[in-house]
Amino acid sequence: MTESSKDKIKESARVELFSDGVFAIAITLLVLELIQILHPKTEIDLVTTCLKHWQSFLAFFIGFITILICWINHHVAFEFIYKVDTKFMWVNGFLLFIVTLTPFPTAILAEYLETESTVALAIFGFNYILISIAAYGICFYAYKHHLISEEDRHFFHSYSLIYRYAIYFNVLAFFVCFISTWVALCLYIILFSLFATPKELTVRLEKIRLRKRKKSKYKKAEELEEGTKV
Amino acid sequence: MTESSKDKIKESARVELFSDGVFAIAITLLVLELIQILHPKTEIDLVTTCLKHWQSFLAFFIGFITILICWINHHVAFEFIYKVDTKFMWVNGFLLFIVTLTPFPTAILAEYLETESTVALAIFGFNYILISIAAYGICFYAYKHHLISEEDRHFFHSYSLIYRYAIYFNVLAFFVCFISTWVALCLYIILFSLFATPKELTVRLEKIRLRKRKKSKYKKAEELEEGTKV
Amino acid sequence: MTESSKDKIKESARVELFSDGVFAIAITLLVLELIQILHPKTEIDLVTTCLKHWQSFLAFFIGFITILICWINHHVAFEFIYKVDTKFMWVNGFLLFIVTLTPFPTAILAEYLETESTVALAIFGFNYILISIAAYGICFYAYKHHLISEEDRHFFHSYSLIYRYAIYFNVLAFFVCFISTWVALCLYIILFSLFATPKELTVRLEKIRLRKRKKSKYKKAEELEEGTKV
Amino acid sequence: MTESSKDKIKESARVELFSDGVFAIAITLLVLELIQILHPKTEIDLVTTCLKHWQSFLAFFIGFITILICWINHHVAFEFIYKVDTKFMWVNGFLLFIVTLTPFPTAILAEYLETESTVALAIFGFNYILISIAAYGICFYAYKHHLISEEDRHFFHSYSLIYRYAIYFNVLAFFVCFISTWVALCLYIILFSLFATPKELTVRLEKIRLRKRKKSKYKKAEELEEGTKV
């Protein structure tokens, strides 16, 4: 059983292909829930029907953004990952499982946003916790098992960290749901805008950490200096 | 974080892959609305059932052509685009959002063409405005941020212009919907036939602009000559 | 606007990609009609429910085989085609249109095979006529516009011929539907088994034509000889 | 009709592409059955609705794992397969047929697990028998017709053997369904965990066979020695 590095590139490509397929379908299936609002055809006119189901449109929009952000983050991670092994396919499979499931909480949001907004949002929030765990899992596994090239190792470590913070953030937002849906919504909007551009987020995070380290070094140096003075 | 040009080619390929998936699914989901006309099974015979739902067939046809034209135009644009960045993925994501949404106005067309033709067509027309904005956005961003090779720059500029004109055209057609559905339909047929072959359209546009420029040069030259004569 | 041969290979690849997506989705959507038989849940036990809907299973099977054969034939044709132009995308788009539509006649078959077998089969047969026209269209266009490499030209000509014969065959089978559904079914089974392996069919066809030509040459030679004798 | 080895690599790639599409769609369609539980909207609150339909969630989970394992095994097999012929596409098509069908037994599981658990599980088990036959068929055909590179031949033979054992295992589990659903479920969990990592399973199997062979050699050597002694 010989495997050249070329085969491994091909291997990673097929995992991307399959994942892309799942993302693309999950994102497109969302419209089926939207079409649902036209059936059964009622006596009410078209514009009123659409306005009455504004939650369905909102849910479609949220579901779409959610899966698109997932895909963009998955895409950025796979820019670095060039090898795969069978266990990694299971870690990736867990992410796909959550992505495939996403139309379900989206449908819940569409149907229950008016009557049971707290529970509906909490279920969606729980979905986000699972997504961030899966995303962190992919990065953690790829980092630990050297599925990335050595030169990207340092940056990829910072990259995987943003998903660890995302888990904490999502757990927090999940509990906030039960206190105030509006505050929770704001937290999710912040989350969305941060993870819309994951590479830029990582770079920003690296800068903050660098500054902190410099500061602490400076402090230490100052203390040392003071120590020598005293 | 090192990125060779090879990685960037791969990057653009995956955006195409994901987009192709979304296009392919959106175009295939249209048939679900068509199958709908067979449920619930009535006592009416098959041929009568089909004839009674002629709008569903028309809507399927229009929806299919719409998404196919979108795909062809997307395809031609990506012949030039070989680099991507995260913001571009969001611009492309906006187009995919509209494409994913397209089965919804198609379903509306199928259900309401007979009873509320004006509103149904206007919603479809609004969809076209969004599509043309998204298409122009993709070309404009790719041109501005140099995601295309330098040698294609001039042609790509002309190419992106056809989508700007498409926005004006679609806004016009949208308002015409409320005056006369038949005139609006004719406008949309013209739009379809123009954007069926976007490359040829661009070449034709370039020729017209070239001729104009020559004319104006000729005029200026004439005026200059006349000026010197006087 | 410069285009190297490399770009053209990429171009053909993306048309394949999109087509593969459409084929894959159309073939998988067929199961939705099958799941339909479980809703609404009745008091009847599972096995009886399945047996009662044997036409749905048959329709699923026929639909699947139809699209799989289409895909295999499309695949073989694209082994030769390496260039594409915008008009070709429309010819290919016509085939995809029919493929996308295929779940509809399949659903008709499932619902109306018992009550209106003739009409249901004829609609399916009409679908086959369109498929064979589209397949011939693709091959004819690719042959005429030199989208294939020169060395394959001769074989590809024979290959495109089998789809011309398929059109005649399908038109015949379509009219036979109205006379006898059983004879028509037999004709379709023959069609399936022939186009299951299109390359082998072409090779066989070439041999027959070669033998005929040899025979006629032999005859002419004989006649010539006889002529000289006389 | 000339075909270089390069064309054959491309050929195998497109079969993978199409298969990936089918896998991705089949796995994503499962959620539609899950969304079904929200329609028609009842007076019962959201949490109760979800809890009442626990079988739908279980079925979604089982269906997802089933198709993911199929995909992983398909993926590993295609790491070795680099050539395809038309007959192989039919063997592969048979696997895709079963994969496409899988949402149906999954839907049965969701609807009938409470009322007719034995029959529902047996139908799912029958699906597994077909899957293992198809998987063995693919490996057997690829091995026999030399669609794999010569250096992988030995390993691939062992690899194909695990699917032959899977057929026996699945037939056994199928009949156990009618005796005890719980024992059958345990058997399926064992099956899942074994085929989750098919490469590792093959390596383990090879070791066992090697040890056996060594033992038998040792025995023979002992017997020979004893023979010479006597």
Side-chain angles (χ1 to χ4, degrees), chain C residues 50-135:
Chain C
C50 286
L51 290 179
K52 216 183 71 186
H53 289 88
W54 62 270
Q55 316 102 305
S56 290
F57 289 93
L58 184 68
F60 175 76
F61 183 72
I62 293 174
F64 189 91
I65 296 284
T66 302
I67 299 179
L68 188 63
I69 288 179
C70 276
W71 179 75
I72 287 175
N73 283 273
H74 192 262
H75 174 97
V76 171
F78 270 78
E79 276 177 42
F80 299 101
I81 299 163
Y82 72 100
K83 278 196 292 186
V84 296
D85 57 33
T86 315
K87 267 175 205 157
F88 180 72
M89 282 189 230
W90 279 98
V91 180
N92 189 55
F94 176 60
L95 178 71
L96 296 184
F97 179 73
I98 309 300
V99 168
T100 309
L101 202 58
T102 300
F104 181 67
T106 306
I108 283 180
L109 218 59
E111 301 270 338
Y112 290 88
L113 194 62
E114 237 173 359
T115 51
E116 294 182 61
S117 61
T118 304
V119 183
L121 201 66
I123 288 175
F124 213 91
F126 186 68
N127 199 45
Y128 281 136
I129 297 177
L130 294 177
I131 288 174
S132 51
I133 290 173

Side-chain angles (χ1 to χ4, degrees), chain A residues 96-114:
Chain A
L96 296 184
F97 180 74
I98 309 301
V99 168
T100 309
L101 201 58
T102 299
F104 181 67
T106 306
I108 284 179
L109 218 60
E111 301 271 337
Y112 290 89
L113 193 63
E114 236 173 2

